[in-house]
Amino acid sequence: MNDHTQERPGNRLDEQVHFAAVDEFLAWGKENSLFYLLFATACCGIELMQAGGPRYDVDRLGMIPRATPRQADLMIVAGTITHKMAGRVRTLWEQMTEPRWVVSMGSCANSGGPFSKWSYSVLNGVDKYVPVDVYIPGCPPRPEALIDGVMALRERVRKYRTLGVRETTPHIVAGHEAPFGGGGCAVPPVVEKAKE
Amino acid sequence: MTIEAMTPNGERMTLNMGPHHPATHGVLRIVVESDGEVVATCTPDHGYLHRSIEKIGECIDWPLFVPYTDRVDYVCAMNANLAYCLAVEQLLATDAASAVKVPLRGECIRVLVAELNRISSHLVAVGAMAMDVGAYTPFLHAIAQRELVNDIFEKLCGQRLTYNYVTIGGVAFDLYAQASEEITRFLDQFEREMVRFNKLITTSTIFRDRCASVAPVSAAEAIAWGLVGPNLRGSGVDWDLRRDESYGLYGQLAVRVPVGQCFAGRHGKVGDCFDRYVVRLLEIQESVRLCRETLKLLPPPAVKANDPTGGYQADVSRQLKKPPKGEVHCRTEAPRGEMGYFLVSDGTKVPYRVRCRTGSFSAAGIFHKVMRGIFLADVVTVIGSFDIVVPEIDR
């Protein structure tokens, strides 16, 4: 009855051309290509590996492991962080290009987990050194829990604005040296509050 | 040719591998001094994952330490549980009043889960080694099979990685209904899948030539440097604690021990990376057989949990409040070699000392020796072939 019924499906202008703000378009791209840093320190690393395996297959979410922090958007801290390691975590985070996100996977990275009470060498929470966007509980979390955490992070990435007013990520300004390994100050780092 | 002859002008470059490196299996740091492509010295730097597990052992009750043994070696947590529990049982057996007898069904389940976990651990080892040298697909096949083992363990104890399943005096839960059928079905399809896996990677000429003659360890060297487990057997030493100092049910099972014998053909040497790799694959086959044998021995379940035949757990709560004084060292054969616990008891409900001896530690000790004079690109092959799990080194 109308002219456009004569056209092939999917060939219409409004099906091929989409209008969006540049910011939203960039956020859409970021959200669907969260390359993550292959950063497995302990037990959770195995579950991270399984999440990349054939059954859970996080590749389908656009998440591809990267060996170098320069190419990564997302750091999944999978496992225990010791005081000796903490300074290196901070270095790796600093090497990642903006915008960057951090997921803390598992109880050890969240709070020290089973080692928080008795251990003298384990950092009680990686958020003392790098700003964490999403915390995933579990010891270790299942791959489904990791994917759920990534979904929560994607919500956050979608709101990220490259050009306009951006949501500032909390930024640690001082004291990132490891107390024992890095030779720096032993004062816990100061976390700047996220600006609304 | 000596390294000095290969590096005539003596100019060397220091290269840090790790602590964040995808091929170092966690947070191992290796400082490599190289001249061009040739490794001159190689120094492992440990401690990036030192979680003071042994110290924690001195703070908490005997049975509460079992979950921490999971974290000592998370790739084969069942075997790590088993090593500690056997050590505590051996300690209790030093006094006749507190000796504990694990029910037969409990022993069978222990062997079953230990061998299943050995399969899944070796799958990670061979898959990750293939990935380290550049073959990604075999790794995915190995992970897919590991998922199936995880399914069985999840039904058994509710966890996928850190099980806390083997307890002092037996195991925490009985096998679920249809467990035997499911395990048999898994083993059947797993054997078919391993044929495909071997076609994909083990018989590949590229992979074989990549690993042949790389970092050979002779039998005498392997013994002198204290290598254990598949690394020792890869060098042609016929030694397996399951057969030679058998514990639990292994005495009845007649374990067959594969040893390295220059599997790579005329280009290889005994004890090279390919031998260590193939020995792991052969151990997987042996574990499949042991699982089948154990399922045949499995007695029917009893009503009472501490029934001497059909039960799965002896009651030890009374003994653990006041264990006998003394010290004990118990060795077991974990996938990464001997895992032994040295326990000192002062007669209280908290251990005086818990010392853990693991296979990866001694494997890391030989790095500086075998890496001298090899190519830089082979460093990851060697790390993969020794199957390092870093918390085993650092604890």
Side-chain angles (χ1 to χ4, degrees), chain B residues 185-197:
Chain B
R185 212 179 313 136
F186 161 73
L187 294 174
D188 289 343
Q189 72 85 31
F190 176 71
E191 278 188 325
R192 285 196 300 276
E193 186 61 35
M194 281 318 279
V195 174
R196 278 175 59 192
F197 182 86

Side-chain angles (χ1 to χ4, degrees), chain B residues 28-44:
Chain B
L28 178 66
R29 174 167 173 246
I30 298 177
V31 185
V32 181
E33 232 178 58
S34 73
D35 186 307
E37 279 291 299
V38 182
V39 175
T41 64
C42 164
T43 317

Side-chain angles (χ1 to χ4, degrees), chain A:
Chain A
M1 52 192 164
N2 286 328
D3 281 346
H4 70 264
T5 51
Q6 304 299 318
E7 295 169 7
R8 277 165 39 218
N11 215 12
R12 286 161 44 199
L13 190 67
D14 59 339
E15 284 176 5
Q16 287 194 336
V17 179
H18 295 276
F19 290 95
V22 177
D23 259 350
E24 283 173 15
F25 175 66
L26 291 175
W28 172 80
K30 286 188 181 70
E31 183 198 334
N32 286 296
S33 61
L34 279 173
F35 288 11
Y36 65 98
L37 180 64
L38 202 60
F39 186 49
T41 55
C43 328
C44 294
I46 302 291
E47 288 295 74
L48 179 61
M49 205 168 82
Q50 307 262 45
R55 182 181 289 182
Y56 297 100
D57 192 21
V58 292
D59 284 17
R60 69 202 150 94
L61 306 174
M63 292 175 66
I64 296 167
R66 287 280 140 187
T68 162
R70 310 273 182 201
Q71 299 168 339
D73 308 304
L74 165 65
M75 178 195 250
I76 300 178
V77 184
T80 318
I81 301 297
T82 57
H83 289 301
K84 188 173 179 181
M85 190 65 196
R88 277 75 178 173
V89 178
R90 174 74 191 192
T91 311
L92 285 169
W93 180 79
E94 281 170 354
Q95 284 174 348
M96 288 164 69
T97 48
E98 288 267 11
R100 54 197 165 192
W101 289 277
V102 178
V103 168
S104 162
M105 181 184 179
S107 301
C108 287
N110 292 347
S111 68
F115 304 99
S116 58
K117 188 172 181 189
W118 301 109
S119 177
Y120 52 81
S121 54
V122 169
L123 184 72
N124 289 348
V126 73
D127 50 3
K128 294 185 173 65
Y129 281 81
V130 292
V132 175
D133 293 282
V134 175
Y135 298 86
I136 303 169
C139 189
R142 299 174 56 86
E144 285 101 330
L146 175 67
I147 292 170
D148 188 46
V150 168
M151 286 302 172
L153 181 74
R154 282 168 67 127
E155 292 287 325
R156 210 180 157 97
V157 175
R158 203 175 296 147
K159 289 180 195 144
Y160 183 85
R161 293 289 168 261
T162 312
L163 301 175
V165 182
R166 66 170 78 164
E167 186 194 350
T168 49
T169 50
H171 188 66
I172 298 175
V173 288
H176 64 264
E177 294 290 327
F180 301 129
C185 59
V187 185
V190 183
V191 180
E192 214 176 58
K193 284 277 163 6
K195 295 188 186 82
E196 290 304 317

Side-chain angles (χ1 to χ4, degrees), chain B residues 44-79:
Chain B
D45 177 13
H46 306 307
Y48 287 97
L49 197 53
H50 174 60
R51 304 191 274 190
S52 51
I53 289 177
E54 289 178 3
K55 184 70 191 168
I56 291 172
E58 298 168 18
C59 304
I60 55 176
D61 296 1
W62 293 98
L64 296 187
F65 187 66
V66 178
Y68 288 94
T69 60
D70 286 330
R71 275 97 188 150
V72 171
D73 190 350
Y74 44 77
V75 187
C76 58
M78 289 288 188
N79 298 74

Side-chain angles (χ1 to χ4, degrees), chain B residues 126-144:
Chain B
V126 295
M129 181 181 171
M131 186 171 69
D132 287 348
V133 300
Y136 194 64
T137 317
F139 172 72
L140 294 177
H141 283 261
I143 286 293

Side-chain angles (χ1 to χ4, degrees), chain B residues 280-340:
Chain B
R280 287 203 169 80
L281 284 174
L282 294 173
E283 281 190 16
I284 290 178
Q285 277 184 5
E286 179 61 15
S287 289
V288 170
R289 190 186 72 84
L290 287 177
C291 284
R292 289 220 169 94
E293 294 287 315
T294 316
L295 281 173
K296 281 182 203 156
L297 292 175
L298 193 70
V303 182
K304 278 165 68 182
N306 58 0
D307 184 87
T309 313
Y312 56 90
Q313 191 182 31
D315 191 16
V316 286
S317 54
R318 177 184 60 81
Q319 289 97 317
L320 288 176
K321 279 177 193 146
K322 213 169 179 317
K325 280 185 193 177
E327 53 186 60
V328 66
H329 183 222
C330 176
R331 305 195 288 177
T332 60
E333 187 74 32
R336 257 157 290 279
E338 279 177 31
M339 177 174 271

